Structures are given as C-alpha cells and as structure tokens.
Amino acid sequence: MHASFSAGTLLGAGLSSLAILFKVPVLVHLLLIARIEFILIFTFFRFLPEDTGKEDAVSRRQEVSSEKPVNVWTEPRTLLIGLIVLGMAFAEGSANDWLPLTMTDGFHVTHAQGTAVYGVFLTAMLIARIFGGAFLDRYGRVPVLRLCTAVSVIGLSLVIFSGNLTAAVIGVFLWGIGASLGFPVGLSAAGDDPKGAVKRVGAISFVGYCAFLVGPPVLGLLGEEFGLVRALMIVLIGIVLSGLVSRAVKPPASEKCS
C-alpha cells in the first residue's frame, strides 16, 4: 500500500514537470488533476469489500468486557515507536513539500529540474517499498530500520554539505531509500499486540501525520533564516534520533514474527 502511495506521488511529480515544461497554467493543471481523481475514486471505490475497516462485533464486545481500557500514551514502547515515526515521517514530508524548491534555491536548477530531482526521491521510495518487505522478512525490523536511518543520514548529508549537484542528486536517492520504511514499519510494530492494536496504530498514525503537517512549515521558517539547504539539518537530527531508538520496533518476545 505504501508503495502504491509512492507510485502515485511519482506519477504526480512527472505530470508536474511536464506541466511546468509546457507552461500549463496552475489552475488548469489542478482542475484537470481534480477531475481525474474524481473519476478514479467514484469508479473504483465500489470494488472495495463491504467490511473494509470494520471490526468483528463479537470479538470487540469480548475485548471491551474482559480487558481494561488501553492508554497507549503511557506505554514506553508505543512512545518510542512514535518517536521513530516522527523522525522518519518528517524526513519524508520535508522532501514532499520542500525538495524541489530546495534544489532550485540551493543548487540553482530550473523549476522543472527541481521537480525531476523530487522524482528521483520518489523513485527511491517506490523501489525500497516494493522490495523492503523481503528484507524485513529475512533480516527483521531493527537491522533494516537501522540500515535505513544510516543510508538516509548519508544521503541527506550529501545534500546539505556537498555543494555539488551530482552528489546532491545521489544524496536525494539515498535519502529516499532511507526514509521509505520508517512509517510502514512503525505502523506494523504498533499493531503487534492484537489487544489495543487499533488504538496504537491510530496513535502512531496521528504522530506521523503531525510530522507531515507541522514539520514542513517549521522547516520553511528555518529556511527563511538560514536557507533551505542548511535548514535540512533539523531533519537530519530527527533521522538520527529515529535510528537511536530503532530497537523499539522489535516484536514482543511472545511474537514469533520478524
């Protein structure tokens, strides 16, 4: 599912580059995309199974009657998973909102080229999310997540400190590879224990989307003061923190999954 999300954003970036190249007015572009989305949604939503997103009523009643309410915000493991997702979602959301402008301002490329570099990031995300499941099954969450954070740190460091366009593009690709699995792995880890899984996954999703919504404006404010390239250092710090607490995504001892 996350790979499909990345594929959609990659397609959107490609269409945006073409729109810029052919000087399509923004209003025309957005109205056309909105119409396509409307058609797609109302064509395919009816094929979703009727019980999608619903809980079994009997098991839910049993859980409510036999278990104490779960307060996920007091669970150390859930909070640490939230910290992981916060850092990695910030890394992804910052690229989604600021990477094209960072390339145009920091490396003096054209707007179409800046959007194309964003496409490099999305391509890396798509590749990693397609093949990441096999690596998670083979090596486990913690080693893979640590590798992802290391790769993302290397990539982002190239963008921030290299001052070279070619090195920065390579860095963007590594940044995308590294940032790809943090959110999906965090959601999976939050759902390990069936009891209270809905609340935990909801809490982790809330944290992740807060990072998507709040992080980029903060980065923009820092960018006005220090420049967007240097402002990315706060993203780098978030990724490092995610790596330091990556052990939190290890399944509980009672679970026989990796």
Side-chain angles (χ1 to χ4, degrees):
M1 294 296 100
H2 280 86
S4 298
F5 175 85
S6 296
T9 47
L10 178 59
L11 177 61
L15 292 175
S16 297
S17 294
L18 290 174
I20 294 171
L21 186 62
F22 291 103
K23 295 180 171 35
V24 178
V26 173
L27 181 60
V28 174
H29 178 199
L30 293 181
L31 288 175
L32 179 61
I33 295 299
R35 183 172 182 179
I36 292 173
E37 288 181 350
F38 182 86
I39 293 172
L40 288 175
I41 291 171
F42 281 88
T43 299
F44 292 105
F45 88 97
R46 57 188 174 185
F47 296 108
L48 292 173
E50 292 185 0
D51 59 348
T52 298
K54 295 181 180 179
E55 293 181 278
D56 181 84
V58 175
S59 63
R60 180 61 181 160
R61 283 197 299 271
Q62 291 174 347
E63 180 181 337
V64 171
S65 61
S66 61
E67 299 293 333
K68 295 181 180 179
V70 177
N71 185 358
V72 298
W73 299 109
T74 61
E75 298 175 342
R77 180 175 183 261
T78 301
L79 294 177
L80 290 175
I81 293 172
L83 181 59
I84 293 170
V85 170
L86 183 70
M88 300 305 278
F90 187 24
E92 181 181 348
S94 298
N96 289 338
D97 283 20
W98 289 110
L99 183 53
L101 191 56
T102 299
M103 298 307 297
T104 57
D105 285 359
F107 295 90
H108 309 294
V109 300
T110 66
H111 293 291
Q113 289 171 331
T115 306
V117 174
Y118 175 51
V120 171
F121 177 86
L122 295 175
T123 300
M125 294 273 290
L126 176 60
I127 292 171
R129 284 177 169 174
I130 289 175
F131 297 104
F135 284 91
L136 288 166
D137 290 339
R138 182 169 181 176
Y139 300 107
R141 293 175 188 158
V142 177
V144 170
L145 190 58
R146 285 175 176 169
L147 178 62
C148 283
T149 55
V151 170
S152 197
V153 165
I154 293 170
L156 196 51
S157 296
L158 286 174
V159 175
I160 297 171
F161 302 112
S162 70
N164 178 273
L165 179 59
T166 302
V169 173
I170 295 172
V172 165
F173 185 82
L174 295 176
W175 176 8
I177 291 286
S180 62
L181 298 181
F183 204 167
V185 169
L187 291 179
S188 295
D192 279 335
D193 186 354
K195 297 177 181 179
V198 174
K199 290 183 178 180
R200 292 187 188 93
V201 171
I204 297 304
S205 299
F206 172 78
V207 170
Y209 282 103
C210 280
F212 279 129
L213 293 173
V214 178
V218 171
L219 189 63
L221 292 174
L222 292 174
E224 287 188 354
E225 187 69 25
F226 305 105
L228 284 173
V229 175
R230 297 301 179 203
L232 289 174
M233 290 185 68
I234 191 175
V235 182
L236 190 62
I237 293 171
I239 296 171
V240 171
L241 290 176
S242 294
L244 290 176
V245 299
S246 58
R247 188 172 179 80
V249 299
K250 183 178 180 180
S254 60
E255 297 285 330
K256 293 185 178 180
C257 59
S258 58

